[in-house]
Amino acid sequence: ELTTTGAAGTREEPLARALSHLASLQRADGCWEGEVVWNPMLLAQVVIVRRVIGEPALDDETRARMVRYFRVTQTPEGAWGMHPESGPYVFFTALSYVALRLLGVPADDPLAARARAFLRASRADGGGVPAIPSWGKVWLSLVGLYGWEGVNPIPPELFLLPSWAPIHPDRFYCHTRYIYLAISYLYGRRFEGSLGPITQDLRDELYDAPYAQIDFAAHRHDLATSDLHVRPGPELRLAWDALMQVER
């Protein structure tokens, strides 16, 4: 068996050093803390949710550190990606843009202006905010920046199916299952929180056409090229279209 007291040069010694290092990182209260290096989606969502549920305004230092995070993770294109080595995504960029504006970054600040320019430019390549992927459509719909009619059906009734049904969400991977449990409820309610007076400004800044004139339903199946890995197959698109008819 491996032990923590092996002599140098044996296979036990690296394990002993690893355990010693791990123990040295433990905090006084018994926990470990570590940074997750991923993408700005979670931070952007925290900023958005805080505004919707009416949390107190952030102090200046915290707000500045959040803005700094977005600044140092912005890609050369002015956007944000899945991880530090990825290319730009419409999804992460749109949510980050909304968060930055809610954090008080002016629309003409280079940080915001470059992101807005990327979103507008991506429209010519099959992208833009109207073609944001499904989670983006949902998040923007939750705060009045996208029309729920542009979101493919996520019926909460799926969770009421008998457990033996092949498409019951209980068969999904845990992250998928719990995320869509919440999303399906919010979709069923067509929930729409308020961002306050900045909503109209964001509508004007995110789109190159007047918000009231955008046919969001026409973009249900649209996916930005920058964000696309596997295009939904015809069977899934047919199922979505059928559910749309049922929901009428």
Side-chain angles (χ1 to χ4, degrees), residues 163-173 177:
S163 59
W164 50 261
I167 60 172
H168 195 291
D170 279 352
R171 300 178 181 274
F172 297 169
Y173 174 57
R177 179 171 69 251

Side-chain angles (χ1 to χ4, degrees), residues 206-225:
L206 289 173
Y207 301 100
D208 53 9
Y211 184 83
Q213 298 178 15
I214 299 174
D215 182 5
F216 288 104
H219 296 287
R220 281 194 303 112
H221 295 322
D222 289 352
L223 286 171
T225 304

Side-chain angles (χ1 to χ4, degrees), residues 30-128:
C31 76
W32 279 267
E33 179 182 357
E35 181 182 9
V36 177
V37 180
W38 188 34
N39 63 56
M41 176 187 72
L42 295 179
L43 178 57
Q45 291 171 345
V46 166
V47 173
I48 294 170
V49 170
R50 284 180 59 89
R51 174 63 66 89
V52 170
I53 66 176
E55 283 289 296
L58 295 163
D59 60 85
D60 291 343
E61 180 183 359
T62 300
R63 187 168 60 251
R65 289 165 68 91
M66 287 180 170
V67 173
R68 180 177 182 275
Y69 170 80
F70 286 113
R71 195 178 304 279
V72 301
T73 56
Q74 192 173 34
T75 70
E77 297 87 354
W80 285 270
M82 171 74 79
H83 50 79
E85 287 77 36
S86 85
Y89 282 65
V90 168
F91 172 51
F92 302 115
T93 304
L95 264 62
S96 297
Y97 183 87
V98 173
L100 284 168
R101 295 287 282 115
L102 293 178
L103 289 169
V105 175
D108 58 357
D109 184 287
L111 185 61
R114 294 178 64 227
R116 190 168 61 254
F118 165 79
L119 291 172
R120 295 291 181 89
S122 68
R123 185 71 185 271
D125 189 33

Side-chain angles (χ1 to χ4, degrees), residues 85-214:
E85 287 77 36
S86 85
Y89 282 65
V90 168
F91 172 51
F92 302 115
T93 304
L95 264 62
S96 297
Y97 183 87
V98 173
L100 284 168
R101 295 287 282 115
L102 293 178
L103 289 169
V105 175
D108 58 357
D109 184 287
L111 185 61
R114 294 178 64 227
R116 190 168 61 254
F118 165 79
L119 291 172
R120 295 291 181 89
S122 68
R123 185 71 185 271
D125 189 33
V129 177
I132 194 171
S134 59
W135 285 11
K137 287 178 166 70
V138 168
W139 271 93
L140 294 181
S141 296
L142 290 173
V143 291
L145 299 177
Y146 204 93
W148 276 113
E149 64 273 18
V151 178
N152 274 313
I154 314 169
E157 290 82 3
L158 286 176
F159 287 87
L160 301 178
L161 292 173
S163 59
W164 50 261
I167 60 172
H168 195 291
D170 279 352
R171 300 178 181 274
F172 297 169
Y173 174 57
C174 60
H175 285 164
T176 307
R177 179 171 69 251
Y178 288 123
I179 288 171
Y180 277 102
L181 175 61
I183 287 179
S184 66
Y185 172 80
L186 294 167
Y187 171 82
R189 291 290 302 271
R190 301 301 195 274
F191 175 87
E192 186 174 314
S194 173
L195 297 180
I198 198 174
T199 299
Q200 187 57 53
D201 291 337
L202 285 168
R203 288 176 173 180
D204 294 339
E205 295 161 18
L206 289 173
Y207 301 100
D208 53 9
Y211 184 83
Q213 298 178 15
I214 299 174

